[in-house]
Amino acid sequence: MRIVLWVSALLAAAPLGAQDVAVVLPPGIAWSTNYDDPPIGSPEAIRGGTFNDWIGAYPLTFRLVGPNSNDGFAGWNRLFTMAFSLVKRHPVTDNYIPWMATAWSVQDDQRTVYVRLDPDARWSDGEPITADDWVFTYEMFQSPHIVDPFYAILAQETWESIDKIDDYTLRIVGKDPSWRPLWDFLGIWPTPSHVVTLDSTWVERTNNEPQVAPGPYIVTGRERGESVTFSRVDGWWGEGKHYFRGLYNPDTIQLRIVPEERSLDYLRLGQIDVLQENTARTWNEDYTFEAVRNGWIKRARVFVDFPQGVYGLAMNLEAPIFQDKDFRKAIQYLFNFERLNRNLMFDEYLRISSFFEGTEYANPDIEPYSFDPQRAREHLARAGYRRPSENRSRGLLASAGRMLNGLITTRAADDDILVNERGEKASFSIVYGSKGLERHLTVMQQDYRRAGVEVRLRLLEPGAAFERGLERKYEMHLMGRGTSFFPDPRQYLHTEFRDTTNNNNVWGFGTPQVDSLIEVFEDDLDLEDRQAAMWRIDEIVHDEAFHIPFWGAPFVRLAYWDYIGWPDNWLPKRVLAYNDWPVFWIDPDRKAALEEAMRTGTPLPVDQEIDKDPYDLVDDRQ
Amino acid sequence: MAWIRLDPITRRRLERFRSIKRGWYSLVVLGAAMVLSVFASFLAESRALVVWYGGRVYFPTFTYYEAGRFGQEPPPGWGTGDLEADYLRLQREWDLERVLYERERTAIVGDDRVALAALEEKYANRQNRVFMPPIPWDPYRSDFWYNEILRDVQAELDRDANLRAELLARRDGLDELADAIASGDIETMLADPERSLTGDLLGLARSGAMPSLAGLGALPPTAPDLRRHHYLGTDSQGRDVASRLLYGFRISIFFSLFLVLVSQVVGTAVGSLQGYIGGRFDLLSQRLIEVLLSIPFLYVVIIMGALFAPTFWLLLAIMAAFQWITITFYMRTEMYREKTREYCLAARSYGASHARVVFRHLLPNSLTPLVTFTPFAVVAAIFTLTALDYLGYGLPAPTPSWGEMLDQALLAENRDRLWLTLAPFGALTFTLVLVVFIGESVREAFDPKRYSRYE
């Protein structure tokens, strides 16, 4: 399937070169831009210094496209050197802001966008960045020489054409009209057409070759298996521009190759400056060493707001047991998130309540089903499930026989599982593809069992588990799907996907009402109408109770040496990681003070309040 | 035992085996452990062995009793439900009544019959008894007591229900805390930032100002601790390690015995047939075996596990389908060799049937490889099941299994939790060493260089 698509993308790409009609700017075009939002970085940021961080493995390539170009290093590469798109979404205000463009003009067809480029923009080798470089990226995406089906498909599905009007003006035409053309069509970045020659050896030739870049840094040092170093480009063109202020502060960035489980040791040794901690247990138990006690290493848990995606336990509406809404609600009421959070997760996480959590389309009035066994039992009774009382009052001999029967394998004690009139047990299986959450599932299993519902766990090989979900061959399925800032309800909830399988509608859900609401969301250009439609969908999803939402980590946990400076608002609001936007800096005065303190062994003030909530998010959620 | 005729050689072999002390004691220990493990429900189980309630005797191991039967309140939030009684809590509740009764009776002056009657009425449960198994935990139940007890007591304190808080602490053996609550000292302790940085019981436990609270407020895995009868600590879900070890042993050892029994019987039969019949049959069947041998066993397990929920018997069947092969090679060569010997030809010439030749003459002389390999096959089977569970392709969670325990122990986050590592590693090593000792002794006892049986 994927290969077929790729080939057809190549075929479609073929006639592009043969375009000879010159593209011109339509008369009377209205340009818009936005220089009114605050810069993303802090005005207090200090330039200079060397910042030390880590990556898990030495990069397999320095390219941004082609094989192996999506590893842990790619994020840094995109951020600092390569992927400078035309516009970005401001991570605090959510408005579009010019990045490499200076202005844009969206036409009424909602798919044609004219873009003015920044004439100051220069490549790291000093050459100007012109419209040709943008057109070249589009051609490159479609080239068979990059051996990258992902970009071939992306190019085919996103754009109809990208044309040069003059050196600093582009016309970008999307495949289909969109109500968010800037987001959909302007995420492309430039490629230095004056140095890149695409041919069949390009992939191999450029594997290990630092690229000419539009960004403030280029790769200057590489030691295979040891480290990668970025250094600032002399006289970078973006210096002092409004939205670049306060970003990209260190002069040098050194990435050490560190195995993830040893990253904390490297922080302790001062070999890395900042560590984002993703494990609740480590965060709560392992930061007790001297440097933390003495306030040399500081900690902060910064609450941010990021789309959480669809994450939780899906019930298959095609499975006989989940066709009863009362039974589904009972299962919702028996999910004891608090117990899991308290006893397995250090009370660190917050329950996801909405299907569109972390976006403006999440209905704020929706409360997740809380643990309530009594209501669960009422719903179970309504669904016709009762304790099999006749089984229980059996003789000693029969019980002994049953026990012996199950003696070797497990305890034969299924005598307390509820049954319905047809004699079917209240029993279902959960399919999951990784051991990561197995302990949560087994604890959850106990709560269900106490209420008389048997949960069987089926660990499958990850690929097989994923496929079971897509093919709807399961009863309950542990699923996680990422999302972008704009939710896409169609692929999850539309009847179009209910009637087929192999799609993201893993539940097999769909009603005409939700279909029409999805159409409102997709076609209506008025934000409030779209929002109202999505809130209604959220309500319906909640009431149909086919999805048990899990929990999210709407925060970034940071441990950093005291000389790292942060803006007053710590991090932008829409981030998953602290290095999504490089707002941090190195404070030389505090560095000297810290060195002095460490030399004499004097403690620095310790901030007892680790939780930082610059956007007042926590109260909203609870 | 008419079908086993102990001829003098066999008897001498057995005697010789018994005289090798290492092997003999290993057999005794392993045998005893196996017999004990069959009765694991009486050794490690969260259901009580015996409940003495209101003059009647109950045996909860065999029967489901609702909590209400013993007048036990359901846990908060569960309503009047028909949940099974929580026997460990029941035991503590009744013990507490006994303690309170004794204490308040000494406060009654003289022979105040009315007060005494009221007291007896109030603590009627003091005469009831719960007898728990030595390990009062089944292998599935999570115990979050360490993390939750201080919260529960704190919640009562916050509601100004100091008496309830005191009783809760006393019920669970936190006498120092209970005394502090009763005397009111707790207020000053919590107000002192030296003793409780956060101003609550958790802070008090952390600061070490009340030593008996040490280890409370901890999430699982928790270290070995007698207060809750977790003799080997708890695992990362708060389940009792000792209990899981015992049930894991039961599953491993019986799994491997069944497996070895099936595969050795089948393997011996096939191998003997190959060797005895020989010729084209041998040629063909040997090719079939080679085909079977080239199938990667692990993939078959993974694929079958994806198609059917893996159960004890399914795994046994899959593994047996591959395990019988090894022994066929040895039995085949033995048969080839033995059937050309004179005693075999003599038996044939006397007119003995093929069956008689095989079972009476050839098999007894070909047993050496079977006897020698079987103990090691047991070791291999235990290892394979452990490895499968470790990889996650064995018996489904939450089945107690050594492989799953090893998996937990080897997680980076558990690397300093020694009890998680030592328990399964120790048990595995100990069991395998016992089996190997037995195997060695058997081999020595059967050593053909000492007693040959050429007739």
Side-chain angles (χ1 to χ4, degrees), chain A residues 281 285 342-343 373 377 387 392 399 407 409-411 416 435 439 442 445-446 450 458-459 468, chain B residues 38 45 64 66 77 82-83 140 142 144 147-148 220 236-237 250 305-306 308 312 390 398 407 417:
Chain A
R281 178 176 293 281
E285 291 189 341
R342 206 165 51 227
N343 293 307
R377 293 300 290 276
R387 290 264 187 208
R392 257 187 292 140
S399 335
L407 205 58
T409 50
T410 45
R411 186 169 67 161
D416 51 339
K435 275 187 163 185
R439 59 198 207 105
T442 53
Q445 193 183 31
Q446 297 168 24
R450 276 223 271 190
R458 289 286 314 269
L459 173 66
R468 286 273 187 122
Chain B
V38 172
E45 176 59 83
Y64 181 103
E66 293 168 4
D82 43 7
L83 298 181
Y140 305 112
S142 292
F144 297 131
N147 190 34
E148 299 212 314
S236 63
Q237 279 113 298
R250 182 165 88 174
F308 316 97
F312 184 83
Y390 175 75
D407 182 42
R417 293 177 168 81

Side-chain angles (χ1 to χ4, degrees), chain B residues 245-246 249 382 402 421-433:
Chain B
L245 208 60
L246 179 64
F249 172 76
I382 294 179
W402 290 0
T421 324
L422 290 181
F425 268 113
L428 193 61
T429 314
F430 188 62
T431 311
L432 297 187
V433 163

Side-chain angles (χ1 to χ4, degrees), chain B residues 136-157:
Chain B
W137 299 101
D138 67 56
Y140 305 112
R141 187 173 161 186
S142 292
D143 181 23
F144 297 131
W145 179 81
Y146 297 92
N147 190 34
E148 299 212 314
I149 181 64
L150 288 187
R151 282 170 196 272
D152 293 348
V153 176
Q154 183 76 49
E156 299 292 354
L157 286 180

Side-chain angles (χ1 to χ4, degrees), chain B residues 259-324:
Chain B
L259 179 63
V260 167
L261 191 75
V262 172
S263 57
Q264 302 300 72
V265 167
V266 173
T268 307
V270 173
S272 307
L273 277 177
Q274 283 181 314
Y276 188 70
I277 298 174
R280 227 171 258 172
F281 172 77
D282 179 36
L283 213 67
L284 268 175
S285 55
Q286 195 62 14
R287 297 294 86 74
L288 279 177
I289 282 176
E290 279 161 16
V291 169
L292 202 59
L293 209 58
S294 65
I295 299 174
F297 159 71
L298 189 62
Y299 286 109
V300 175
V301 173
I302 294 172
I303 290 166
M304 297 298 265
L307 293 177
F308 316 97
T311 60
F312 184 83
W313 300 109
L314 179 76
L315 272 184
L316 193 69
I318 298 173
M319 286 174 68
F322 290 90
Q323 294 281 328
W324 60 272

Side-chain angles (χ1 to χ4, degrees), chain A residues 352-516:
Chain A
I352 296 173
S353 52
S354 160
F355 200 74
F356 310 112
E357 190 86 357
T359 70
E360 65 260 47
Y361 300 105
N363 189 331
D365 297 331
I366 286 187
E367 292 287 325
Y369 294 91
S370 55
F371 180 65
D372 190 339
Q374 260 172 302
R375 283 173 87 165
R377 293 300 290 276
E378 283 162 24
H379 281 288
L380 282 171
R382 231 176 287 157
Y385 288 96
R386 317 220 177 298
R387 290 264 187 208
S389 48
E390 72 278 8
N391 283 359
R392 257 187 292 140
S393 54
R394 54 180 199 271
L396 191 79
L397 214 85
S399 335
R402 281 166 62 84
M403 202 187 74
L404 271 172
N405 186 31
L407 205 58
I408 307 305
T409 50
T410 45
R411 186 169 67 161
D414 55 353
D415 46 341
D416 51 339
I417 295 167
L418 309 184
V419 290
N420 64 12
E421 307 90 81
R422 294 187 297 280
E424 293 158 347
K425 279 200 227 166
S427 163
F428 58 87
S429 64
I430 300 181
V431 166
Y432 57 109
S434 125
K435 275 187 163 185
L437 283 183
E438 195 168 273
R439 59 198 207 105
H440 303 75
L441 294 179
T442 53
V443 171
M444 179 189 134
Q445 193 183 31
Q446 297 168 24
D447 287 320
Y448 282 83
R449 183 54 187 272
R450 276 223 271 190
V453 178
E454 182 190 46
V455 177
R456 286 166 282 125
L457 301 181
R458 289 286 314 269
L459 173 66
L460 294 180
E461 179 271 322
F466 189 71
E467 223 168 279
R468 286 273 187 122
L470 293 185
E471 289 172 3
R472 248 172 260 149
K473 286 183 184 160
Y474 68 92
E475 286 175 315
M476 191 182 261
H477 189 260
L478 174 61
M479 66 170 291
R481 297 279 194 279
T483 184
S484 79
F485 289 107
F486 302 101
D488 185 1
R490 175 177 289 267
Q491 57 166 323
Y492 292 113
L493 302 171
H494 201 278
T495 44
E496 169 191 345
F497 296 111
R498 180 194 64 191
D499 303 329
T500 59
T501 55
N502 260 313
N503 51 51
N504 272 336
N505 188 343
V506 292
W507 311 272
F509 175 77
T511 63
Q513 190 197 1
V514 170
D515 287 358
S516 54

Side-chain angles (χ1 to χ4, degrees), chain A residues 210-232:
Chain A
Q211 314 274 295
V212 173
Y217 298 96
I218 48 167
V219 175
T220 51
R222 312 164 267 158
E223 266 184 86
R224 193 173 285 276
E226 294 285 327
S227 68
V228 178
T229 311
F230 294 99
S231 304
R232 192 188 295 286

Side-chain angles (χ1 to χ4, degrees), chain A residues 204-218:
Chain A
E204 217 177 309
R205 198 153 37 84
T206 54
N207 247 349
N208 211 9
E209 185 182 289
Q211 314 274 295
V212 173
Y217 298 96
I218 48 167

